[in-house]
């Protein structure tokens, strides 16, 4: 009796091991604990209790104990979003000698710069609504075209909530929650830029006593873990618009473009109303297939993707401190192949890279992100298409055409501009790479 039980145990474990090896599972295996974690739901507060009474203290107080994280963060753009240009004039990337004459600000008046990689905007102290605030200059520097460009932020979704004038448009409501640490929850600019406590929550208790717990996103389930990034990397509307009969004009001089009150670990859903998207309809922010037209839409796109639904998070691809896989500095196919492998259960379902991409292995046309993260969005109306989509599912040329999207937002076309979308679709047909889903768009 006991012996046969043992034999069947040995045989069945051999079968299991065989299946695991033949399915090419090992690469995704280390992630199983993450992927199969119980989902706690969007409404549960996962902030440690000890943080409820804590306040924000700033990144300097973490440095001595967490030197490595501090060093990595310091070298990332999160630490440089807002820079005091009066203290450090070298942070200015614009050519102020060519600033147009009808500019409503001078370099001397500007206190902070916002951004540096794609565009730079300037914050000027102003009294708005009777309180000390900041306004934005009416020109921004486009770092991609190296030109000054008109800037009228009040024309965005909240245009019915503010006068059409930069001078009465406060950054406190429109911007600062996402660009200053602490502002989102306390309405105090604790520290310029995105620092430790934007993602870990207020830390005064933990600094006093390191045993006092502090929020770490990767400890909660993957859906909730993503929220620490989604608080900022997702276009939104003022949550008060969910109240019955509330319209933008009812939020006169107070409409907020960030989830006011949110702290890492709190249920983001109670603070954030994502920018609306109706499938098959083009909007200011999205193409009819849901791909982004603008920057800062990673979350809006990613939540539509199968990887999100299976429990892959932003930090599976981006180190949260270094931010590796930064814009226009991708890590290459290795970033994807740490989970994917050729002929594996999760795809690609061909046995070699060349069979999957139909391009030579060393061709640009064999880089995963070139086909799965096409450049569908721009940083400003006058910028080139440089913002890659975080909807990873392949977009067929026929889909691009059926949705009336600009052809250059299609991966194949972006590299083969001498071809038509029709011809590129035919290439895919001839490769046997068109599934039934593509015929929906024919
Ligand atoms: C006096 C030293 C000290 C200071 C100051 C300090 N920490 Fe820590 N921190 C620690 C120690 C020790 C641990 C490990 C604690 C443990 O394992 O229970 C830790 C753990 C952490 C963790 C991981 C928590 C987890 O559950 O795994 C985070 C996140 C963190 N600290 C963030 C911060 C931030 C942000 C600051 C600054 C606002 C900060 N720490 C300041 C000593 C410190
Ligand atoms: C953009 C969000 C973000 C910022 C900013 C940030 N962190 Fe983190 N940090 C995270 C996430 C997410 C994790 C979990 C990473 C993981 O488990 O792989 C983490 C992990 C940690 C840990 C635990 C490391 C471990 O091995 O478990 C420490 C300590 C820490 N951070 C300290 C800091 C300090 C200090 C700063 C500021 C200098 C900082 N973080 C800034 C998001 C952030
Ligand atoms: C408090 C707001 C905020 C939070 C929270 C936040 N980010 Fe960011 N992130 C920004 C801003 C603003 C920028 C632009 C910085 C700049 O250009 O100076 C940015 C830039 C980035 C970049 C591009 C960096 C580059 O060099 O091109 C990546 C990647 C990124 N964030 C990933 C993340 C991830 C992953 C998380 C969550 C762990 C996260 N962010 C959390 C606001 C935030
Ligand atoms: C909901 C959070 C949020 C709000 C509100 C917000 N931003 Fe940002 N902003 C981000 C994030 C996240 C990024 C980086 C990601 C990206 O661009 O895709 C960013 C990027 C930028 C950049 C480009 C940075 C660079 O290095 O090129 C500028 C400039 C900027 N924002 C200015 C503003 C201004 C001005 C406002 C207010 C009118 C504002 N933002 C409101 C989150 C926000
Ligand atoms: C499957 C991997 C993967 C996941 C998941 C992922 N990203 Fe990315 N992301 C990338 C790669 C690769 C790039 C670099 C693209 C490039 O070359 O510009 C990138 C670029 C970015 C950028 C720079 C955008 C720009 O061009 O201005 C930001 C910001 C960003 N990711 C944030 C996020 C956030 C927030 C999440 C979660 C909602 C996320 N990413 C999830 C792979 C990923
Ligand atoms: C030349 C364009 C191209 C490149 C480059 C490319 N893919 Fe694909 N990929 C596709 C197309 C087209 C599909 C959908 C049609 C299909 O399923 O055959 C697809 C489908 C997939 C799928 C869904 C499962 C499957 O096999 O259908 C996965 C996963 C995938 N690709 C991963 C990757 C990874 C990882 C890389 C980089 C090693 C990569 N792809 C590079 C074109 C590309
Ligand atoms: C941490 C693990 C992990 C990483 C890293 C990763 N993937 Fe995935 N990917 C998955 C899982 C899990 C699935 C879901 C498989 C399924 O549904 O069968 C998936 C599915 C996909 C799909 C098919 C479903 C869809 O939504 O389109 C594509 C395409 C894809 N990944 C592309 C990529 C690309 C490109 C990269 C690199 C930028 C990448 N993946 C990085 C784990 C990962
Ligand atoms: C990142 C750029 C890039 C992307 C994206 C890309 N290709 Fe290519 N393609 C190339 C390059 C470069 C070659 C030259 C041969 C090589 O490197 O394999 C090529 C070669 C080809 C060829 C061989 C005939 C020729 O023109 O030389 C065909 C057909 C083709 N691509 C179709 C496609 C289709 C269809 C897609 C979308 C699924 C696509 N390509 C996506 C860059 C790209």
């Amino acid at each position: 009796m006991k012996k046969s039980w043992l034999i069947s145990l040995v045989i069945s474990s051999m079968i299991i091991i065989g299946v695991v090896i033949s399915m090419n599972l090992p690469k995704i295996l280390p992630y199983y604990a993450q992927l199969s974690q119980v989902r706690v739901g969007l409404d549960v507060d996962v902030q440690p209790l000890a943080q409820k009474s804590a306040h924000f203290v700033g990144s300097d107080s973490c440095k001595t104990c967490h030197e490595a994280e501090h060093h990595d963060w310091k070298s990332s753009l999160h630490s440089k979003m807002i820079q005091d240009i009066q203290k450090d004039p070298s942070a200015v990337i614009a050519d102020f000698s060519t600033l147009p004459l009808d500019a409503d600000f001078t370099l001397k008046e500007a206190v902070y710069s916002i951004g540096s990689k794609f565009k730079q905007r300037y914050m000027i102290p102003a009294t708005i609504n009777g309180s000390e605030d900041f306004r934005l200059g009416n020109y921004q520097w486009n770092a991609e075209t190296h030109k000054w460009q008109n800037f009228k932020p009040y024309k965005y979704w909240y245009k019915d909530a503010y006068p059409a004038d930069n001078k009465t448009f406060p950054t406190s409501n429109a911007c600062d929650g996402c660009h200053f640490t602490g502002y989102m929850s306390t309405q105090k600019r604790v520290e310029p830029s995105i620092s430790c406590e934007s993602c870990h929550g207020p830390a005064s208790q933990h600094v006093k006593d390191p045993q006092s717990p502090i929020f770490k996103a990767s400890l909660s389930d993957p859906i909730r873990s993503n929220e620490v990034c989604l608080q900022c990397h997702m276009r939104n509307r003022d949550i008060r618009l969910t109240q019955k009969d509330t319209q933008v004009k009812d939020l006169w001089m107070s409409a907020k473009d960030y989830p006011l009150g949110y702290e890492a670990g709190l249920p983001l859903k109670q603070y954030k109303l994502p920018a609306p998207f109706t499938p098959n309809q083009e909007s200011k922010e999205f193409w009819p297939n849901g791909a982004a037209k603008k920057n800062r839409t990673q979350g809006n796109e990613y939540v539509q993707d199968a990887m999100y639904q299976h429990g892959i998070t932003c930090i599976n691809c981006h180190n949260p401190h270094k931010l590796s896989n930064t814009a226009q500095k991708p890590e290459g196919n290795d970033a994807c192949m740490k989970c994917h492998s050729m002929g594996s259960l999760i795809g690609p379902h061909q046995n070699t890279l060349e069979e999957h991409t139909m391009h030579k292995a060393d061709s640009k046309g064999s880089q995963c992100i070139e086909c799965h993260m096409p450049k569908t969005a721009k940083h400003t109306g006058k910028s080139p298409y440089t913002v890659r989509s975080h909807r990873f599912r392949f977009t067929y040329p026929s889909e691009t055409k059926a949705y009336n999207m600009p052809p250059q937002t299609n991966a194949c076309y972006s590299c083969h501009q001498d071809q038509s979308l029709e011809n590129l679709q035919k290439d895919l047909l001839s490769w046997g790479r068109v599934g039934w889903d593509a015929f929906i768009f024919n």
Side-chain angles (χ1 to χ4, degrees), residues 77-78 80-81 115-117 177-179 194 198-199 228-229 231-233 314-315 318 320 323 325-327:
L77 276 190
H78 274 167
K80 303 186 181 77
M81 184 55 178
S116 58
K117 193 159 176 172
C178 297
H179 298 164
I194 296 94
S198 298
C199 297
V228 74
C229 315
Q231 59 171 312
C232 300
H233 285 273
C314 311
I315 60 169
H318 297 283
L323 302 183
N325 268 324
T326 51

PDB file of all heavy atoms in Angstrom, residues 77-78 80-81 115-117 177-179 194 198-199 228-229 231-233 314-315 318 320 323 325-327, ligand 3:
ATOM      1  N   LEU A  77      15.071  61.624 -12.374  1.00  0.00           N
ATOM      2  CA  LEU A  77      14.369  62.881 -12.645  1.00  0.00           C
ATOM      3  C   LEU A  77      13.297  63.189 -11.598  1.00  0.00           C
ATOM      4  O   LEU A  77      12.866  64.333 -11.501  1.00  0.00           O
ATOM      5  CB  LEU A  77      13.744  62.861 -14.042  1.00  0.00           C
ATOM      6  CG  LEU A  77      14.666  63.236 -15.206  1.00  0.00           C
ATOM      7  CD1 LEU A  77      13.846  63.399 -16.484  1.00  0.00           C
ATOM      8  CD2 LEU A  77      15.437  64.522 -14.941  1.00  0.00           C
ATOM      9  N   HIS A  78      12.859  62.182 -10.844  1.00  0.00           N
ATOM     10  CA  HIS A  78      11.884  62.485  -9.790  1.00  0.00           C
ATOM     11  C   HIS A  78      12.423  63.562  -8.844  1.00  0.00           C
ATOM     12  O   HIS A  78      11.663  64.367  -8.321  1.00  0.00           O
ATOM     13  CB  HIS A  78      11.545  61.219  -8.980  1.00  0.00           C
ATOM     14  CG  HIS A  78      10.444  60.403  -9.583  1.00  0.00           C
ATOM     15  ND1 HIS A  78      10.163  59.123  -9.183  1.00  0.00           N
ATOM     16  CD2 HIS A  78       9.533  60.684 -10.541  1.00  0.00           C
ATOM     17  CE1 HIS A  78       9.142  58.650  -9.873  1.00  0.00           C
ATOM     18  NE2 HIS A  78       8.746  59.576 -10.707  1.00  0.00           N
ATOM     19  N   LYS A  80      14.307  65.994  -9.619  1.00  0.00           N
ATOM     20  CA  LYS A  80      14.643  67.243 -10.319  1.00  0.00           C
ATOM     21  C   LYS A  80      13.445  67.906 -10.983  1.00  0.00           C
ATOM     22  O   LYS A  80      13.590  68.819 -11.782  1.00  0.00           O
ATOM     23  CB  LYS A  80      15.710  66.963 -11.378  1.00  0.00           C
ATOM     24  CG  LYS A  80      16.970  66.336 -10.806  1.00  0.00           C
ATOM     25  CD  LYS A  80      18.055  66.202 -11.870  1.00  0.00           C
ATOM     26  CE  LYS A  80      19.295  65.545 -11.305  1.00  0.00           C
ATOM     27  NZ  LYS A  80      19.167  64.083 -11.160  1.00  0.00           N
ATOM     28  N   MET A  81      12.257  67.437 -10.671  1.00  0.00           N
ATOM     29  CA  MET A  81      11.067  67.967 -11.345  1.00  0.00           C
ATOM     30  C   MET A  81      10.909  69.466 -11.104  1.00  0.00           C
ATOM     31  O   MET A  81      10.668  70.230 -12.023  1.00  0.00           O
ATOM     32  CB  MET A  81       9.832  67.207 -10.842  1.00  0.00           C
ATOM     33  CG  MET A  81       8.556  67.606 -11.536  1.00  0.00           C
ATOM     34  SD  MET A  81       8.691  67.433 -13.323  1.00  0.00           S
ATOM     35  CE  MET A  81       7.053  67.908 -13.842  1.00  0.00           C
ATOM     36  N   GLY A 115      10.171  70.692 -14.740  1.00  0.00           N
ATOM     37  CA  GLY A 115      10.571  69.805 -15.828  1.00  0.00           C
ATOM     38  C   GLY A 115      11.892  70.209 -16.452  1.00  0.00           C
ATOM     39  O   GLY A 115      12.437  71.282 -16.173  1.00  0.00           O
ATOM     40  N   SER A 116      12.422  69.315 -17.309  1.00  0.00           N
ATOM     41  CA  SER A 116      13.687  69.600 -17.975  1.00  0.00           C
ATOM     42  C   SER A 116      13.921  68.713 -19.192  1.00  0.00           C
ATOM     43  O   SER A 116      14.692  69.050 -20.076  1.00  0.00           O
ATOM     44  CB  SER A 116      14.853  69.369 -17.004  1.00  0.00           C
ATOM     45  OG  SER A 116      14.824  68.030 -16.529  1.00  0.00           O
ATOM     46  N   LYS A 117      13.223  67.578 -19.266  1.00  0.00           N
ATOM     47  CA  LYS A 117      13.574  66.614 -20.302  1.00  0.00           C
ATOM     48  C   LYS A 117      12.867  66.918 -21.620  1.00  0.00           C
ATOM     49  O   LYS A 117      13.477  66.887 -22.677  1.00  0.00           O
ATOM     50  CB  LYS A 117      13.206  65.206 -19.834  1.00  0.00           C
ATOM     51  CG  LYS A 117      13.810  64.102 -20.694  1.00  0.00           C
ATOM     52  CD  LYS A 117      13.855  62.787 -19.934  1.00  0.00           C
ATOM     53  CE  LYS A 117      14.365  61.630 -20.758  1.00  0.00           C
ATOM     54  NZ  LYS A 117      14.565  60.422 -19.952  1.00  0.00           N
ATOM     55  N   GLY A 177       0.210  69.360  -6.420  1.00  0.00           N
ATOM     56  CA  GLY A 177      -0.014  68.081  -5.742  1.00  0.00           C
ATOM     57  C   GLY A 177       0.890  66.982  -6.282  1.00  0.00           C
ATOM     58  O   GLY A 177       1.312  66.097  -5.539  1.00  0.00           O
ATOM     59  N   CYS A 178       1.185  67.027  -7.567  1.00  0.00           N
ATOM     60  CA  CYS A 178       2.003  65.976  -8.179  1.00  0.00           C
ATOM     61  C   CYS A 178       3.482  66.344  -8.259  1.00  0.00           C
ATOM     62  O   CYS A 178       4.304  65.497  -8.591  1.00  0.00           O
ATOM     63  CB  CYS A 178       1.517  65.685  -9.597  1.00  0.00           C
ATOM     64  SG  CYS A 178      -0.163  65.040  -9.667  1.00  0.00           S
ATOM     65  N   HIS A 179       3.809  67.589  -8.014  1.00  0.00           N
ATOM     66  CA  HIS A 179       5.198  68.013  -8.232  1.00  0.00           C
ATOM     67  C   HIS A 179       5.941  68.376  -6.955  1.00  0.00           C
ATOM     68  O   HIS A 179       7.157  68.522  -6.972  1.00  0.00           O
ATOM     69  CB  HIS A 179       5.255  69.209  -9.191  1.00  0.00           C
ATOM     70  CG  HIS A 179       4.713  68.921 -10.566  1.00  0.00           C
ATOM     71  ND1 HIS A 179       4.371  69.898 -11.456  1.00  0.00           N
ATOM     72  CD2 HIS A 179       4.460  67.757 -11.207  1.00  0.00           C
ATOM     73  CE1 HIS A 179       3.933  69.359 -12.587  1.00  0.00           C
ATOM     74  NE2 HIS A 179       3.973  68.060 -12.462  1.00  0.00           N
ATOM     75  N   ILE A 194       9.451  65.075  -6.414  1.00  0.00           N
ATOM     76  CA  ILE A 194       8.834  63.833  -5.967  1.00  0.00           C
ATOM     77  C   ILE A 194       9.847  63.099  -5.117  1.00  0.00           C
ATOM     78  O   ILE A 194      10.784  62.509  -5.643  1.00  0.00           O
ATOM     79  CB  ILE A 194       8.415  62.975  -7.177  1.00  0.00           C
ATOM     80  CG1 ILE A 194       7.345  63.687  -7.996  1.00  0.00           C
ATOM     81  CG2 ILE A 194       7.893  61.611  -6.748  1.00  0.00           C
ATOM     82  CD1 ILE A 194       7.866  64.482  -9.143  1.00  0.00           C
ATOM     83  N   SER A 198       6.472  60.775  -1.099  1.00  0.00           N
ATOM     84  CA  SER A 198       5.397  60.718  -2.103  1.00  0.00           C
ATOM     85  C   SER A 198       4.985  59.263  -2.318  1.00  0.00           C
ATOM     86  O   SER A 198       3.848  58.977  -2.642  1.00  0.00           O
ATOM     87  CB  SER A 198       5.861  61.278  -3.449  1.00  0.00           C
ATOM     88  OG  SER A 198       6.204  62.618  -3.346  1.00  0.00           O
ATOM     89  N   CYS A 199       5.937  58.350  -2.162  1.00  0.00           N
ATOM     90  CA  CYS A 199       5.661  56.938  -2.422  1.00  0.00           C
ATOM     91  C   CYS A 199       5.596  56.110  -1.141  1.00  0.00           C
ATOM     92  O   CYS A 199       5.057  55.012  -1.139  1.00  0.00           O
ATOM     93  CB  CYS A 199       6.735  56.342  -3.321  1.00  0.00           C
ATOM     94  SG  CYS A 199       6.809  57.089  -4.951  1.00  0.00           S
ATOM     95  N   VAL A 228       0.575  53.638  -6.116  1.00  0.00           N
ATOM     96  CA  VAL A 228       1.571  54.605  -5.673  1.00  0.00           C
ATOM     97  C   VAL A 228       2.097  55.397  -6.884  1.00  0.00           C
ATOM     98  O   VAL A 228       2.435  56.571  -6.780  1.00  0.00           O
ATOM     99  CB  VAL A 228       2.678  53.912  -4.849  1.00  0.00           C
ATOM    100  CG1 VAL A 228       3.608  53.109  -5.705  1.00  0.00           C
ATOM    101  CG2 VAL A 228       3.456  54.915  -4.040  1.00  0.00           C
ATOM    102  N   CYS A 229       2.116  54.778  -8.037  1.00  0.00           N
ATOM    103  CA  CYS A 229       2.525  55.482  -9.258  1.00  0.00           C
ATOM    104  C   CYS A 229       1.320  56.165  -9.922  1.00  0.00           C
ATOM    105  O   CYS A 229       1.422  57.262 -10.462  1.00  0.00           O
ATOM    106  CB  CYS A 229       3.164  54.526 -10.253  1.00  0.00           C
ATOM    107  SG  CYS A 229       4.355  53.366  -9.554  1.00  0.00           S
ATOM    108  N   GLN A 231      -1.164  57.603  -8.687  1.00  0.00           N
ATOM    109  CA  GLN A 231      -1.587  58.885  -8.113  1.00  0.00           C
ATOM    110  C   GLN A 231      -1.150  60.038  -9.020  1.00  0.00           C
ATOM    111  O   GLN A 231      -1.858  61.033  -9.156  1.00  0.00           O
ATOM    112  CB  GLN A 231      -1.039  59.074  -6.690  1.00  0.00           C
ATOM    113  CG  GLN A 231       0.490  59.025  -6.610  1.00  0.00           C
ATOM    114  CD  GLN A 231       1.046  59.423  -5.237  1.00  0.00           C
ATOM    115  OE1 GLN A 231       0.651  60.431  -4.669  1.00  0.00           O
ATOM    116  NE2 GLN A 231       1.938  58.620  -4.692  1.00  0.00           N
ATOM    117  N   CYS A 232       0.011  59.912  -9.654  1.00  0.00           N
ATOM    118  CA  CYS A 232       0.519  60.981 -10.528  1.00  0.00           C
ATOM    119  C   CYS A 232       0.498  60.595 -12.006  1.00  0.00           C
ATOM    120  O   CYS A 232       0.208  61.429 -12.860  1.00  0.00           O
ATOM    121  CB  CYS A 232       1.954  61.344 -10.175  1.00  0.00           C
ATOM    122  SG  CYS A 232       2.156  61.932  -8.498  1.00  0.00           S
ATOM    123  N   HIS A 233       0.835  59.341 -12.317  1.00  0.00           N
ATOM    124  CA  HIS A 233       1.000  58.945 -13.720  1.00  0.00           C
ATOM    125  C   HIS A 233      -0.313  58.500 -14.349  1.00  0.00           C
ATOM    126  O   HIS A 233      -0.367  57.480 -15.024  1.00  0.00           O
ATOM    127  CB  HIS A 233       2.040  57.822 -13.829  1.00  0.00           C
ATOM    128  CG  HIS A 233       3.440  58.302 -13.651  1.00  0.00           C
ATOM    129  ND1 HIS A 233       4.200  58.783 -14.682  1.00  0.00           N
ATOM    130  CD2 HIS A 233       4.222  58.380 -12.559  1.00  0.00           C
ATOM    131  CE1 HIS A 233       5.399  59.135 -14.242  1.00  0.00           C
ATOM    132  NE2 HIS A 233       5.428  58.900 -12.945  1.00  0.00           N
ATOM    133  N   CYS A 314       4.106  48.410 -12.353  1.00  0.00           N
ATOM    134  CA  CYS A 314       5.053  49.395 -12.885  1.00  0.00           C
ATOM    135  C   CYS A 314       6.476  49.055 -12.445  1.00  0.00           C
ATOM    136  O   CYS A 314       7.419  49.159 -13.225  1.00  0.00           O
ATOM    137  CB  CYS A 314       4.729  50.802 -12.379  1.00  0.00           C
ATOM    138  SG  CYS A 314       3.014  51.329 -12.543  1.00  0.00           S
ATOM    139  N   ILE A 315       6.618  48.644 -11.176  1.00  0.00           N
ATOM    140  CA  ILE A 315       7.985  48.430 -10.670  1.00  0.00           C
ATOM    141  C   ILE A 315       8.579  47.097 -11.127  1.00  0.00           C
ATOM    142  O   ILE A 315       9.739  46.825 -10.853  1.00  0.00           O
ATOM    143  CB  ILE A 315       8.096  48.593  -9.138  1.00  0.00           C
ATOM    144  CG1 ILE A 315       7.204  47.597  -8.417  1.00  0.00           C
ATOM    145  CG2 ILE A 315       7.766  50.018  -8.731  1.00  0.00           C
ATOM    146  CD1 ILE A 315       7.481  47.549  -6.907  1.00  0.00           C
ATOM    147  N   HIS A 318      10.175  49.167 -13.943  1.00  0.00           N
ATOM    148  CA  HIS A 318      10.898  50.391 -13.567  1.00  0.00           C
ATOM    149  C   HIS A 318      11.397  50.265 -12.141  1.00  0.00           C
ATOM    150  O   HIS A 318      10.584  50.088 -11.231  1.00  0.00           O
ATOM    151  CB  HIS A 318       9.976  51.612 -13.626  1.00  0.00           C
ATOM    152  CG  HIS A 318       9.447  51.933 -14.984  1.00  0.00           C
ATOM    153  ND1 HIS A 318      10.205  52.558 -15.949  1.00  0.00           N
ATOM    154  CD2 HIS A 318       8.234  51.730 -15.540  1.00  0.00           C
ATOM    155  CE1 HIS A 318       9.480  52.721 -17.043  1.00  0.00           C
ATOM    156  NE2 HIS A 318       8.276  52.218 -16.836  1.00  0.00           N
ATOM    157  N   PRO A 320      11.958  51.682  -8.793  1.00  0.00           N
ATOM    158  CA  PRO A 320      11.244  52.879  -8.310  1.00  0.00           C
ATOM    159  C   PRO A 320      12.173  54.028  -7.912  1.00  0.00           C
ATOM    160  O   PRO A 320      11.724  55.165  -7.821  1.00  0.00           O
ATOM    161  CB  PRO A 320      10.481  52.367  -7.088  1.00  0.00           C
ATOM    162  CG  PRO A 320      11.207  51.138  -6.653  1.00  0.00           C
ATOM    163  CD  PRO A 320      11.800  50.543  -7.894  1.00  0.00           C
ATOM    164  N   LEU A 323      14.427  54.602 -11.599  1.00  0.00           N
ATOM    165  CA  LEU A 323      13.448  54.717 -12.678  1.00  0.00           C
ATOM    166  C   LEU A 323      13.900  54.069 -13.975  1.00  0.00           C
ATOM    167  O   LEU A 323      13.296  54.284 -15.023  1.00  0.00           O
ATOM    168  CB  LEU A 323      13.071  56.183 -12.947  1.00  0.00           C
ATOM    169  CG  LEU A 323      12.490  56.949 -11.760  1.00  0.00           C
ATOM    170  CD1 LEU A 323      12.104  58.361 -12.190  1.00  0.00           C
ATOM    171  CD2 LEU A 323      11.282  56.228 -11.185  1.00  0.00           C
ATOM    172  N   ASN A 325      14.692  52.221 -17.418  1.00  0.00           N
ATOM    173  CA  ASN A 325      13.709  52.254 -18.504  1.00  0.00           C
ATOM    174  C   ASN A 325      13.113  53.645 -18.562  1.00  0.00           C
ATOM    175  O   ASN A 325      11.909  53.837 -18.727  1.00  0.00           O
ATOM    176  CB  ASN A 325      12.584  51.222 -18.334  1.00  0.00           C
ATOM    177  CG  ASN A 325      12.914  49.909 -19.039  1.00  0.00           C
ATOM    178  OD1 ASN A 325      13.530  49.899 -20.110  1.00  0.00           O
ATOM    179  ND2 ASN A 325      12.506  48.811 -18.448  1.00  0.00           N
ATOM    180  N   THR A 326      13.976  54.641 -18.399  1.00  0.00           N
ATOM    181  CA  THR A 326      13.517  56.027 -18.468  1.00  0.00           C
ATOM    182  C   THR A 326      13.124  56.360 -19.895  1.00  0.00           C
ATOM    183  O   THR A 326      13.458  55.619 -20.829  1.00  0.00           O
ATOM    184  CB  THR A 326      14.637  56.989 -18.006  1.00  0.00           C
ATOM    185  OG1 THR A 326      15.828  56.661 -18.719  1.00  0.00           O
ATOM    186  CG2 THR A 326      14.881  56.861 -16.529  1.00  0.00           C
ATOM    187  N   ALA A 327      12.439  57.481 -20.072  1.00  0.00           N
ATOM    188  CA  ALA A 327      11.972  57.864 -21.396  1.00  0.00           C
ATOM    189  C   ALA A 327      13.147  57.929 -22.361  1.00  0.00           C
ATOM    190  O   ALA A 327      14.168  58.552 -22.075  1.00  0.00           O
ATOM    191  CB  ALA A 327      11.272  59.215 -21.329  1.00  0.00           C
TER     192      ALA A 327
HETATM  193  C1  LIG B   3       4.125  62.510  -6.786  1.00  0.00           C
HETATM  194  C2  LIG B   3       4.035  62.243  -8.212  1.00  0.00           C
HETATM  195  C3  LIG B   3       4.725  61.030  -8.782  1.00  0.00           C
HETATM  196  C4  LIG B   3       4.743  59.746  -8.289  1.00  0.00           C
HETATM  197  C5  LIG B   3       4.123  59.237  -7.005  1.00  0.00           C
HETATM  198  C6  LIG B   3       5.478  58.954  -9.231  1.00  0.00           C
HETATM  199  N1  LIG B   3       5.926  59.744 -10.256  1.00  0.00           N
HETATM  200 FE1  LIG B   3       7.104  59.145 -11.797  1.00  0.00          FE
HETATM  201  N2  LIG B   3       7.247  61.067 -12.451  1.00  0.00           N
HETATM  202  C7  LIG B   3       6.573  62.131 -11.906  1.00  0.00           C
HETATM  203  C8  LIG B   3       6.970  63.335 -12.595  1.00  0.00           C
HETATM  204  C9  LIG B   3       6.449  64.740 -12.313  1.00  0.00           C
HETATM  205  C10 LIG B   3       7.921  62.947 -13.562  1.00  0.00           C
HETATM  206  C11 LIG B   3       8.687  63.859 -14.520  1.00  0.00           C
HETATM  207  C12 LIG B   3      10.015  64.195 -13.882  1.00  0.00           C
HETATM  208  C13 LIG B   3      10.848  65.164 -14.687  1.00  0.00           C
HETATM  209  O1  LIG B   3      10.749  65.156 -15.906  1.00  0.00           O
HETATM  210  O2  LIG B   3      11.638  65.910 -14.061  1.00  0.00           O
HETATM  211  C14 LIG B   3       8.055  61.504 -13.454  1.00  0.00           C
HETATM  212  C15 LIG B   3       8.898  60.737 -14.258  1.00  0.00           C
HETATM  213  C16 LIG B   3       8.933  59.348 -14.256  1.00  0.00           C
HETATM  214  C17 LIG B   3       9.651  58.532 -15.201  1.00  0.00           C
HETATM  215  C18 LIG B   3      10.489  59.022 -16.375  1.00  0.00           C
HETATM  216  C19 LIG B   3      11.875  59.355 -15.919  1.00  0.00           C
HETATM  217  C20 LIG B   3      12.832  59.738 -17.046  1.00  0.00           C
HETATM  218  O3  LIG B   3      14.016  60.003 -16.721  1.00  0.00           O
HETATM  219  O4  LIG B   3      12.467  59.760 -18.224  1.00  0.00           O
HETATM  220  C21 LIG B   3       9.399  57.218 -14.872  1.00  0.00           C
HETATM  221  C22 LIG B   3       9.918  55.992 -15.586  1.00  0.00           C
HETATM  222  C23 LIG B   3       8.538  57.237 -13.706  1.00  0.00           C
HETATM  223  N3  LIG B   3       8.280  58.546 -13.364  1.00  0.00           N
HETATM  224  C24 LIG B   3       8.061  56.099 -13.086  1.00  0.00           C
HETATM  225  C25 LIG B   3       7.361  56.115 -11.881  1.00  0.00           C
HETATM  226  C26 LIG B   3       7.008  54.934 -11.153  1.00  0.00           C
HETATM  227  C27 LIG B   3       7.330  53.528 -11.575  1.00  0.00           C
HETATM  228  C28 LIG B   3       6.335  55.350 -10.036  1.00  0.00           C
HETATM  229  C29 LIG B   3       5.788  54.504  -8.919  1.00  0.00           C
HETATM  230  C30 LIG B   3       6.723  53.621  -8.238  1.00  0.00           C
HETATM  231  C31 LIG B   3       6.278  56.799 -10.066  1.00  0.00           C
HETATM  232  N4  LIG B   3       6.906  57.220 -11.206  1.00  0.00           N
HETATM  233  C32 LIG B   3       5.680  57.594  -9.107  1.00  0.00           C
HETATM  234  C33 LIG B   3       5.670  62.092 -10.869  1.00  0.00           C
HETATM  235  C34 LIG B   3       5.467  61.011 -10.032  1.00  0.00           C
END
